[in-house]
Amino acid sequence: MTEEYALERYEEACALLPGRLRAAAMAEEQGRRAGAEELRLRIGRPMYLTLPEGEVPLPQTRIVRGDLEQVLDRATEFSRYAASETLRRGYVTAQGGFRIGVCGTALPAGEDNQGLRDVSSLAIRIPRVREGTARPVLPDILEEGRPLSTLVLSPPGGGKTTLLRDLVRLLSQGTELSAPCRVALVDERGELAAVHRGRPQLEVGCHTDILDGCPKALAVPMLLRAMTPEVIALDEVALPADVEAVCAAAGCGAALLATVHAASVRDLGERPVGRALLECGVFRRAVLIEGRGRERRSRVERLP
């Protein structure tokens, strides 16, 4: 990833901001703009840049409710009704693949949430395609040229989604190590491919079929029935229902790629969801992402 590309993505994210906030964000020095991972807006607080080392406040940027409303209007192209399905789940994906997390007062009805009112904070994530990120680990998750079911582990914000996206791209388009694979991508929150009006905004390979905005427990069996995938990829397995869907797909013949919040395989095994993933016997490898920012490194462990 070039600095020019990183700066361009930052500028595109800033285009969602009201004028005074956009000016403040663009006034930051070049290194910060290139390294920024998120823009955080909270009513009554300054706007923050999320950098690898933490959140940094921008001076003279106290957020008011109108700022949040303007961002959401731009992100939804002034049609919040069209984005109501994802908004009720706490996010919206803007053109260009910018996923915006939304907090406010929930409107629960039984086990579902019907929407949000009195929005209080937004997190604008700045996704950047880092082609080549998964190259170092690719040989260790292949066996005779075919991908093995693999977990990608790191603490929150550690780069799991970026690595998984590049892994999907490499397997889909094929490399000197493996032939192209049909990949079915479960993009529940719109972060991996960032589909906008049916078109992925981020590169995930030419043989990738994307099911966007669908819970994993529903998506996995749908894809198995309809798309005959050789690989199924899904981000952030966190719920018991997600684990059930993954384990149910164990005998389908497709390799599974999934990300999970965990600092290590041991840490994963100490959590109920992680323990269930390990015990179901589907996964053969674990990719561990260690460090932050430019110090990030990935290594592969064999699973029993």
Side-chain angles (χ1 to χ4, degrees):
M1 181 182 69
T2 66
E3 185 173 65
E4 181 181 5
Y5 166 71
L7 292 169
E8 181 183 326
R9 292 295 284 168
Y10 178 85
E11 185 173 352
E12 291 172 2
C14 289
L16 295 166
L17 299 170
R20 67 183 183 87
L21 299 180
R22 182 164 61 251
M26 291 301 297
E28 283 294 293
E29 59 97 2
Q30 185 167 303
R32 281 188 171 179
R33 285 184 281 132
E37 298 172 350
E38 291 179 329
L39 300 163
R40 290 263 176 176
L41 290 73
R42 303 175 177 101
I43 288 180
R45 305 287 184 183
M47 182 169 69
Y48 287 83
L49 290 186
T50 303
L51 302 171
E53 60 267 26
E55 291 189 10
V56 177
L58 275 62
Q60 307 299 315
T61 57
R62 187 175 183 274
I63 302 300
V64 297
R65 185 175 303 282
D67 296 327
L68 306 185
E69 298 295 331
Q70 285 189 54
V71 170
L72 287 176
D73 282 342
R74 287 181 175 143
T76 61
E77 299 178 2
F78 297 90
S79 179
R80 293 196 203 177
Y81 176 78
S84 60
E85 182 62 26
T86 62
L87 275 171
R88 73 182 183 85
R89 289 188 275 149
Y91 72 92
V92 62
T93 301
Q95 184 174 4
F98 299 95
R99 178 178 157 277
I100 303 171
V102 185
C103 274
T105 301
L107 303 172
E111 296 183 357
D112 293 324
N113 181 49
Q114 299 303 305
L116 291 167
R117 62 177 174 80
D118 299 331
V119 174
S120 58
S121 61
L122 301 175
I124 304 173
R125 185 165 292 186
I126 308 172
R128 297 180 175 99
V129 174
R130 290 178 168 86
E131 292 192 359
T133 300
R135 272 278 180 178
V137 303
L138 183 63
D140 293 324
I141 69 162
L142 296 173
E143 188 172 81
E144 298 180 354
R146 295 178 60 82
L148 299 169
S149 292
T150 300
L151 292 170
V152 180
L153 311 179
S154 85
K160 295 183 298 298
T161 300
T162 300
L163 191 144
L164 179 62
R165 183 189 300 118
D166 196 50
L167 198 54
V168 166
R169 180 186 67 84
L170 290 171
L171 292 173
S172 176
Q173 70 183 24
T175 68
E176 73 282 1
L177 299 174
S178 61
C181 295
R182 286 190 307 276
V183 182
L185 180 59
V186 181
D187 201 3
E188 182 174 357
R189 299 185 305 171
E191 288 189 273
L192 285 161
V195 173
H196 184 77
R197 295 185 177 177
R199 187 185 183 96
Q201 306 292 296
L202 303 174
E203 182 57 58
V204 289
C206 55
H207 298 288
T208 300
D209 302 301
I210 306 158
L211 188 53
D212 179 64
C214 184
K216 301 173 189 69
L218 296 176
V220 171
M222 286 173 62
L223 290 167
L224 285 171
R225 286 193 298 266
M227 304 307 296
T228 60
E230 295 170 286
V231 178
I232 298 174
L234 51 162
D235 204 13
E236 293 195 12
V237 174
L239 301 173
D242 300 341
V243 177
E244 288 179 15
V246 166
C247 293
C252 69
L256 294 161
L257 308 176
T259 67
V260 191
H261 289 322
S264 65
V265 174
R266 180 177 178 179
D267 179 36
L268 180 67
E270 292 175 350
R271 306 177 185 191
V273 166
R275 189 162 54 249
L277 278 174
L278 294 174
E279 289 175 351
C280 75
V282 174
F283 295 97
R284 305 273 304 280
R285 299 287 187 271
V287 177
L288 286 84
I289 305 174
E290 301 167 328
R292 298 189 68 85
R294 294 180 180 178
E295 301 302 316
R296 284 177 185 156
R297 296 291 183 273
S298 302
R299 62 182 177 87
V300 177
E301 284 189 15
R302 290 174 177 266
L303 296 175

